[in-house]
Amino acid sequence: MPAKPPSETGRYAYEGLDRVIHEKARLGILTSLLTHAAGLLFSDLKSLCALTDGNLSRHLQILQEAGLVEVWKGFKGKRPQTLCRITAAGRARFREYLNILEHVIADALPEEGEAPSPGRPAAGWSPA
Amino acid sequence: MPAKPPSETGRYAYEGLDRVIHEKARLGILTSLLTHAAGLLFSDLKSLCALTDGNLSRHLQILQEAGLVEVWKGFKGKRPQTLCRITAAGRARFREYLNILEHVIADALPEEGEAPSPGRPAAGWSPA
């Protein structure tokens, strides 16, 4: 039998899970940059996140346009280099996001010990 | 200045973050169903996740095709009803996903106290 009707509309909507941050590759990029406050070279970030040049560029552009990341150009000798850093705003928004993520885990984990419902739900239900 | 080159390739790739589960709406649906082991009626699930009929149907189909959710049809009087439940496999995969999510948070949160880098990274860098 289904549980009693839930009372809280939008209880599991997680509105605060910003899609710009939530995307899997960008989540990795932001975590990398949050944990390397001085910034990371494009090549190192690419390696840490296991992304291709094209994918990293695309995601960096989205993060830059959202004001979460800044990109700097420089040279090592004659070789151009790119430095990526999380912005102060990016840091603040990423922390808000992480708070929501902790709520998701807190919502899900209390049911850890509960047994899966076996078989059919009850008489009168048939598989869709 | 950029940090020293990171040694761990793919350290922040989070390969285990299954995209079927990670999508924001589906994350809410799975959390709802995990915490309501007997299942939820379509209408209640819709309300809990603040989704439209069309969006919930679409995401349920994806979750059902991935074997994470099962959908049952029944009647209340003459009115058709739909019951949604997480499967045993869905429960197991969702818990694996939650473990990775905990790793993401553990990776990001130790830097909580670190100050943002102010201004330009160093001489020789210019904004991209």
Side-chain angles (χ1 to χ4, degrees), chain B residues 6-56:
Chain B
S7 55
E8 299 166 88
T9 301
R11 170 73 180 78
Y12 300 100
Y14 303 125
E15 289 302 339
L17 276 191
D18 186 337
R19 284 188 196 272
V20 171
I21 297 175
H22 189 60
E23 197 282 332
K24 177 178 162 175
R26 293 195 289 270
L27 188 51
I29 293 168
L30 288 172
T31 305
S32 305
L33 295 179
L34 188 69
T35 54
H36 296 80
L40 282 165
L41 293 175
F42 185 93
S43 51
D44 292 330
L45 188 53
K46 188 182 123 176
S47 164
L48 279 172
C49 297
L51 291 168
T52 61
D53 280 27
N55 267 336
L56 179 52

